[in-house]
Amino acid sequence: MSLQLGDTAPDFTADSTAGAIEFHAWKSGSWAVLFSHPADFTPVCTTELGRVAQLKQEWAARDAKPIALSVDSVEDHNKWVPDIDEVNKTTVDYPIVADPDKKVANLFGMIHPNAGDTSSVRSVFIIDPADKIRLTLTYPKSVGRNFDEILRCLDALRLTDRATVATPVDWREGDRVIVPPTVSTEDAKAKFGDVDEVKPYLRFIPQPAG
């Protein structure tokens, strides 16, 4: 059965460019963004891993740790990283997991044979500090991911965890948010003050501070 939202992310031990990784111990109470890529020395992946490295301060600001995975070896990863750094003018200093036996990829359902071959597709798992899977995305191998969207999702998850709100379409940090249907308008006014009731079921408030 495939992993679903709210499931505990599988723990694993694997070699990586940062040495042996015990996944749950490595993330240790932080958010994690686990993302797979099909193969080393490939064009789309080179741009993606570089972008993740460029966003180092953004991940840190959200207490999130990125970690990549492919079915190639640590030796291949280490040979490829200088190319990523050169092309993207950055430094890859997050782990890239080696998964030549596809053990981790199969644990997370990252192998989609009908998508072309048995390498891992472009999967993304956002995993919270309690090791629960909170968001999944799967892209085909020909389409590079939008990591700005992944950061946006992290912001929304962190906000909705700390406040009883939901985020509307295309929400960005600082935009107004939605009062969920489980909260009455009266309770929302008491808790948040200003409530814009567009429909009885669609109420907006300014983003709560914090």
Side-chain angles (χ1 to χ4, degrees), residues 115-197:
D117 59 29
T118 55
S119 62
S120 47
V121 294
R122 300 185 195 283
S123 297
V124 182
F125 293 84
I126 296 183
I127 301 162
D128 71 15
D131 302 328
K132 300 297 183 182
I133 296 171
R134 301 295 300 279
L135 183 143
T136 62
L137 293 167
T138 302
Y139 293 69
K141 295 171 187 179
S142 60
V143 178
R145 284 165 280 214
N146 184 335
F147 282 95
D148 290 333
E149 166 64 5
I150 293 167
L151 286 170
R152 190 191 75 86
C153 291
L154 259 174
D155 286 338
L157 287 167
R158 287 163 53 85
L159 170 62
T160 57
D161 276 3
R162 73 173 186 263
T164 310
V165 297
T167 56
V169 63
D170 295 336
W171 175 87
R172 293 281 181 180
E173 182 71 33
D175 291 350
R176 64 182 188 165
V177 297
I178 289 173
V179 177
T182 53
V183 179
S184 69
T185 298
E186 292 73 21
D187 288 347
K189 287 179 178 177
K191 184 172 184 178
F192 300 113
D194 183 25
V195 177
D196 177 13
E197 186 176 278

Side-chain angles (χ1 to χ4, degrees), residues 14-19 40 70-81 96-100:
D15 290 333
S16 81
T17 53
D40 295 357
S70 85
V71 298
D72 292 311
S73 66
V74 169
E75 181 181 8
D76 283 340
H77 293 345
N78 284 328
K79 289 178 180 177
W80 180 39
V81 164
I96 308 174
V97 172
D99 191 32

Side-chain angles (χ1 to χ4, degrees), residues 16-58:
S16 81
T17 53
I21 291 281
E22 295 180 12
F23 183 55
H24 285 184
W26 171 81
K27 66 182 290 298
S28 185
S30 296
W31 291 83
V33 178
L34 171 64
F35 66 102
S36 57
H37 60 277
D40 295 357
F41 300 102
T42 52
V44 176
C45 301
T46 299
T47 64
E48 288 191 323
L49 271 73
R51 180 58 176 156
V52 172
Q54 291 170 349
L55 293 169
K56 178 179 180 177
Q57 297 305 318
E58 300 294 336

